[in-house]
C-alpha cells in the first residue's frame, strides 16, 4: 500500500483507509480463502501469495511513511488485521509480528540508526520474530535465563527462546535477555536486542507440530556465544527491554483480539450457512430455537468484542496507557472465539467432528488465541494487579 496523507487523528486519511479495507476484504475472499486448502496441504503460504501480500504493503501497515510503510494508526492497523483474519490464521501470523510488536518496539524505543536500518526492511516484507518466551519462563521475567554479557564493544548472547512465531522464516529477532544476573525492580535486568538471524551461533530448531494453525510456524531460537555490536542493544540503553516488550505487547494483544474477532466472524458465517442448508424433520435446522440461540449468543459476543477492540484502539491512538484494557479485550475476544468455534461444531452435529468440514479446523485453530501474547489466566492477574494499584492510589 502506498503511504497516504495523514488524518487529523493520526494514521492515513479516512477515504484512503476505507478504499484499502475494501480492497483487502475482496482479496481475502477472492484470493486467500480459495488458497486455504493448498496452505493446509503444504503447511506453508505459497510464495506467489507472499509476494502479493508484500506488494499490497501488508508487512508495512504501521511503519512510518518515511521508512516505506503506510503509517496507519493502531485503530487502522487492528481493523486491517481483523479483516485479514477472516481467512486462515497463517496469513495474519506471517505479518503481525512485524506490525504489532517488532515495529512498535523499534518505533518507540529504537535509535534513529536502528529505525533507519530495520524499519524499511520490515516494511518491504522481511519477516521478524519476537523472542521473549523460554523453556523455563514466559511471563515470569525473573526466571529468564538468556544472558547478554558485555565484552569490550560487543555483546555476547547465550540462551534459548521457545515457541517463537515465524522463527523459521525470520531475518530479524527482537530478543529479550538479562543484562544483570541480579533480578532488579521493574524488570530492569532485562534488555532488548536486535538480533539478525545469520551471525555465527544463531540457530533455529525444527518447526514444532501443532494442534492447528496450519501454515504458521513456531520453533526454538538458540543463541550460542552470539557476538553482536554495541548498537544491537535496542535504544542503546540497558534495562528498558521488558518495558518495551510490554508496550509492544499491548499492540500484540489487540492484534490477537482482532484475529479472534475476525476469525470468529468467519466461524459464525460458516455455522449460519450450514444451519440454513442442513435439514432435519423437514425444515432447515436454522428454524430450531436452540440453534438460533447459539447463533444469537455468538453474534452478541462478537459485537461486544468488536466494541472493546474499537474502544481500546481509540484510547491508544489518543495517547492513553491501555495495558488493562488491551489485556481485557484480548481475554474477552479470544475466549469468545473459542466459544463460537465450539458452537459451530455443535451446530454441525456429528459432521462438526469430521475433518471434511471446516468446523473441526476452526475449533483447533481458535484454541491458541487464549494462549498467545499472555494466557487468559496471566492476563487476569495483570488486570487485577493494575486494578488494585489504581484503587490503592486513590
Amino acid at each position: 500500500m502506498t503511504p497516504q496523507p495523514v488524518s487529523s487523528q493520526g494514521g492515513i486519511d479516512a477515504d484512503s483507509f476505507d478504499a484499502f479495507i475494501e480492497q483487502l476484504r475482496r482479496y481475502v475472499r477472492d484470493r486467500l480463502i480459495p488458497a486455504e486448502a493448498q496452505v493446509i496441504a503444504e503447511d506453508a503460504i505459497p510464495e506467489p501469495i507472499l509476494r502479493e501480500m508484500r506488494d499490497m504493503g501488508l508487512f508495512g501497515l504501521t511503519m512510518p511513511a518515511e521508512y516505506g510503510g503506510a503509517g496507519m494508526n493502531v485503530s487502522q492497523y487492528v481493523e486491517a488485521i481483523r479483516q485479514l483474519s477472516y481467512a486462515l490464521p497463517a496469513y495474519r501470523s506471517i505479518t503481525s509480528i512485524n506490525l504489532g510488536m517488532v515495529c512498535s518496539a523499534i518505533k518507540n524505543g529504537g535509535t534513529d540508526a536502528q529505525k533507519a536500518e530495520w524499519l524499511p526492511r520490515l516494511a518491504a516484507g522481511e519477516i521478524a520474530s519476537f523472542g521473549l518466551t523460554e523453556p523455563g519462563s514466559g511471563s515470569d521475567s525473573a526466571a529468564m535465563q538468556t544472558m547478554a554479557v558485555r565484552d569490550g564493544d560487543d555483546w555476547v548472547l547465550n540462551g534459548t527462546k521457545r515457541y517463537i512465531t515465524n522463527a523459521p522464516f525470520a531475518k530479524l529477532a527482537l530478543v529479550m535477555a538479562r543484562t544483570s544476573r541480579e533480578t532488579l525492580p521493574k524488570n530492569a535486568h532485562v534488555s532488548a536486542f536486535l538480533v539478525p538471524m545469520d551471525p555465527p551461533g544463531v540457530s533455529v530448531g525444527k518447526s514444532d507440530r501443532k494442534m492447528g494453525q496450519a501454515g504458521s510456524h513456531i520453533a526454538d531460537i538458540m543463541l550460542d556465544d552470539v557476538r553482536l555490536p554495541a548498537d544491537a542493544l535496542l535504544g542503546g540503553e540497558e534495562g528498558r527491554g521488558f518495558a518495551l516488550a510490554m508496550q509492544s505487547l499491548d499492540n500484540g494483544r489487540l492484534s490477537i483480539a482482532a484475529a479472534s474477532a475476525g476469525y470468529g466472524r468467519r466461524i459464525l458465517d460458516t455455522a449460519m450457512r450450514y444451519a440454513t442448508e442442513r435439514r432435519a424433520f423437514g425444515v432447515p435446522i436454522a428454524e430450531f430455537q436452540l440453534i438460533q440461540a447459539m447463533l444469537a449468543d455468538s453474534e452478541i459476543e462478537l459485537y461486544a468484542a468488536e466494541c472493546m477492540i474499537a474502544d481500546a484502539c481509540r484510547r491508544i491512538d489518543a495517547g492513553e496507557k491501555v495495558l488493562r484494557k488491551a489485556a481485557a479485550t484480548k481475554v474477552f475476544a479470544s475466549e469468545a472465539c473459542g466459544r463460537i468455534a465450539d458452537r459451530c461444531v455443535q451446530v454441525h452435529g456429528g459432521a462438526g467432528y469430521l475433518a471434511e468440514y471446516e468446523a473441526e479446523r476452526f475449533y483447533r485453530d481458535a484454541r491458541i488465541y487464549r494462549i498467545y501474547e499472555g494466557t487468559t489466566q496471566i492476563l487476569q492477574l495483570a488486570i487485577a494487579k493494575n486494578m488494585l494499584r489504581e484503587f490503592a492510589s486513590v
Side-chain angles (χ1 to χ4, degrees), residues 241-293:
F242 198 79
L244 290 168
M246 291 303 101
Q247 290 172 15
S248 64
L249 278 175
D250 285 343
N251 284 358
R253 286 164 180 164
L254 290 173
S255 173
I256 296 298
S260 300
Y263 209 42
R265 180 62 63 187
R266 166 79 177 280
I267 296 168
L268 177 55
D269 285 350
T270 301
M272 289 194 294
R273 184 177 304 110
Y274 185 83
T276 56
E277 294 173 354
R278 174 74 167 90
R279 298 178 68 85
F281 305 102
V283 298
I285 64 172
E287 294 190 18
F288 301 152
Q289 289 183 334
L290 293 179
I291 296 290
Q292 293 174 3

Side-chain angles (χ1 to χ4, degrees), residues 78-79 81-83 85 92 253-263 309 333:
V78 169
E79 175 59 18
I81 290 295
R82 189 175 74 88
Q83 295 292 337
S85 298
R92 182 209 69 92
R253 286 164 180 164
L254 290 173
S255 173
I256 296 298
S260 300
Y263 209 42
I309 291 166

Side-chain angles (χ1 to χ4, degrees), residues 27 44 90 106 132 138 142 156 171 181 192 195 248 251 262-264 272 279 294-295 303 316 318 327 368 370 381 390:
Y27 180 70
I106 296 174
L132 175 63
V156 179
K171 300 294 186 183
R181 294 191 182 276
V195 181
S248 64
N251 284 358
Y263 209 42
M272 289 194 294
R279 298 178 68 85
M294 287 190 282
L295 300 178
Y303 178 58
I316 201 171
I368 191 63
R370 293 154 61 187
L381 294 178
E390 186 177 295

Side-chain angles (χ1 to χ4, degrees), residues 113-128:
Q114 288 167 342
K115 294 174 185 177
E117 178 179 3
W118 286 109
L119 290 182
R121 295 169 63 175
L122 297 175
E126 288 195 12
I127 295 168

Side-chain angles (χ1 to χ4, degrees), residues 74-230:
V74 174
S75 297
Q76 293 168 339
Y77 149 65
V78 169
E79 175 59 18
I81 290 295
R82 189 175 74 88
Q83 295 292 337
L84 182 62
S85 298
Y86 192 82
L88 196 72
Y91 300 122
R92 182 209 69 92
S93 184
I94 200 71
T95 63
S96 64
I97 305 299
N98 279 36
L99 297 169
M101 299 175 72
V102 177
C103 169
S104 175
I106 296 174
K107 282 195 306 181
N108 294 335
T111 65
D112 289 343
Q114 288 167 342
K115 294 174 185 177
E117 178 179 3
W118 286 109
L119 290 182
R121 295 169 63 175
L122 297 175
E126 288 195 12
I127 295 168
S129 60
F130 186 85
L132 175 63
T133 302
E134 296 185 0
S137 72
S139 303
D140 179 11
S141 70
M144 185 179 293
Q145 296 297 309
T146 298
M147 285 292 305
V149 177
R150 196 68 185 258
D151 183 19
D153 291 334
D154 295 340
W155 289 96
V156 179
L157 273 65
N158 283 279
T160 298
K161 296 297 179 178
R162 177 147 293 175
Y163 308 138
I164 305 305
T165 301
N166 293 339
F169 320 120
K171 300 294 186 183
L172 171 72
L174 181 62
V175 172
M176 305 300 129
R178 301 181 76 105
T179 44
S180 170
R181 294 191 182 276
E182 182 183 356
T183 298
L184 302 175
K186 298 183 179 180
N187 296 293
H189 56 284
V190 180
S191 299
F193 292 86
L194 294 163
V195 181
M197 298 299 286
D198 53 1
V202 178
S203 59
V204 177
K206 67 178 182 180
S207 293
D208 293 303
R209 296 181 63 187
K210 310 185 305 302
M211 178 189 293
Q213 305 240 341
S216 171
H217 288 258
I218 62 174
D220 289 0
I221 296 177
M222 284 77 74
L223 307 167
D224 184 12
D225 286 335
V226 177
R227 186 170 291 271
L228 300 173

